[in-house]
Every structure is written in C-alpha cells, then in structure tokens.
Amino acid sequence: HPSFSADGKRLVYCSRTPRSGVWELVLIDLANPSQRQLIGHGLFPAFSPTDDRIVYQRARERGSRWFSLWTLDLQGENPGPPTEIAASSNAALITPAWSPDGTQVVFCTVLEPTADSNGVEGVASAPQADVWVCNANGAGRARLTRGGFAHLQPAWSSKGSIYFISNRGTHGTENVYALHPEGEMLKHYEATVPVMP
C-alpha cells in the first residue's frame, strides 16, 4: 500500500516481517531507494497531500484485528512520536485517506472484526462497515453511511467527492459509490449513487 509524499520525493509503504509477522511502516527516499527507514508499526499508510504527516491504522495489541487510527509527523529526518487520533470500543478503524486539503481523514469502521478477511487485514468476509470522516486531529467525527452493508476502502477525490466500495447492490454485488458532501464538515450528504455497475 504505497503512498507518495506531497513533493513526490519519498514513498511510505507497509511490509510484514517474516520472523515476527508484524506490519511495519517503511519510508524510502526515491533518490536513494536502497536505503529504507523503519518509522513505526501499522498498515495502510497515506501521506498528507499538504505536509509531512502520515495517517495509518495500527493494531491496539499485537496480533489483534482491532485497529485505531494514528498519525506520524516526520519532522525532518526523524519521525516524531505517533499520535492516536481515533479509536472505538466496538469497531476496528481502517483504511484512512486524507482530504485533498489535508484537514480531514476519511476511514471505515468494521463492527466486531473477528473472522479472516478476503485479503484486507482486519476486515471479516461479510462485515458491517461504515464510512466516517474526522478532522486531522480526530475531532468532529461524522458517520457518512448507515445500514447493514459493507462500505469499504474510501478514497477522497481531488474535487471533494468520497468514493467507496459497497455490497449494497442486488444480491450483495459490490459496486463503487460516491458521496457528494456539502458544507465544511460533511454534516450531511446526498444519497449515495452507484458509480459503475
């Protein structure tokens, strides 16, 4: 899950260590890609489009499927301390992505993440999952989808729409949907509409 820095000079990605099975965040300078810097533990890292912050998900306990959201400020050569920005007592918070202006984060909550996952760490094969948004510091959390469906892997377009995958189609068919947010904090949204059948 690679992500480029805003200036295009660095890349962060996650890598699982064979010995411990722990997911690590790795940073490389594209001018010297053979040198890798371990900057922490976590999954789905995403560079901010405006500065040197990275948002990612991290297990609350080693081997757990219960994730919370964290940010890391690189502060030059060395990363600053990680900051937990969002957690839940009944759900895993996963797959964070930045808004185009770097002021908000969109993510998913997966209720009771216990079973194995079709390839997405921490996501059960038929989860109840919803799309949420919060400010970059974790404040102002707002739920954008509702219902007994799996709304997963949100991505924020450069024009401000949020796209996500949902199994709300006929017979559980997965489609790409879009939220068309209005207002500063996405207080409400238009009905979701499928982007592609």
Side-chain angles (χ1 to χ4, degrees):
H1 304 281
S3 176
F4 285 97
S5 60
D7 61 9
K9 295 181 178 178
R10 289 176 293 173
L11 184 73
V12 65
Y13 63 93
C14 54
S15 176
R16 191 171 192 168
T17 56
R19 294 177 98 186
S20 66
V22 174
W23 286 96
E24 298 176 335
L25 301 177
V26 181
L27 181 70
I28 61 172
D29 183 336
L30 295 176
N32 192 4
S34 62
Q35 292 186 353
R36 293 170 169 80
Q37 180 184 5
L38 174 64
I39 58 172
H41 296 109
L43 283 161
F44 296 98
F47 256 113
S48 166
T50 59
D51 56 32
D52 284 338
R53 285 176 300 160
I54 296 170
V55 66
Y56 59 98
Q57 71 184 55
R58 186 168 94 180
R60 293 184 216 159
E61 296 177 13
R62 186 174 174 176
S64 168
R65 295 184 186 276
W66 294 87
F67 294 92
S68 55
L69 300 185
W70 294 72
T71 57
L72 185 64
D73 190 341
L74 294 182
Q75 300 178 358
E77 294 297 315
N78 299 312
T83 303
E84 186 178 44
I85 62 166
S88 173
S89 61
N90 69 339
L93 281 55
I94 62 168
T95 61
W98 293 97
S99 63
D101 63 4
T103 63
Q104 295 174 300
V105 174
V106 66
F107 60 95
C108 291
T109 56
V110 179
L111 293 180
E112 305 297 332
T114 54
D116 223 354
S117 70
N118 296 338
V120 179
E121 186 76 25
V123 180
S125 55
Q128 179 179 342
D130 281 302
V131 176
W132 290 69
V133 67
C134 68
N135 292 330
N137 65 1
R141 197 181 305 183
R143 185 176 177 179
L144 302 181
T145 62
R146 295 188 184 279
F149 301 102
H151 306 106
L152 296 165
Q153 297 178 314
W156 221 312
S157 78
S158 60
K159 298 194 181 212
S161 293
I162 296 171
Y163 292 83
F164 61 97
I165 297 169
S166 176
N167 66 352
R168 64 188 295 160
T170 306
H171 307 297
T173 302
E174 290 183 341
N175 291 298
V176 176
Y177 289 80
L179 292 173
H180 302 288
E182 298 177 10
E184 292 180 13
M185 259 310 296
L186 300 170
K187 291 179 183 171
H188 58 281
Y189 63 95
E190 298 172 12
T192 55
V193 294
V195 174
M196 4 188 284

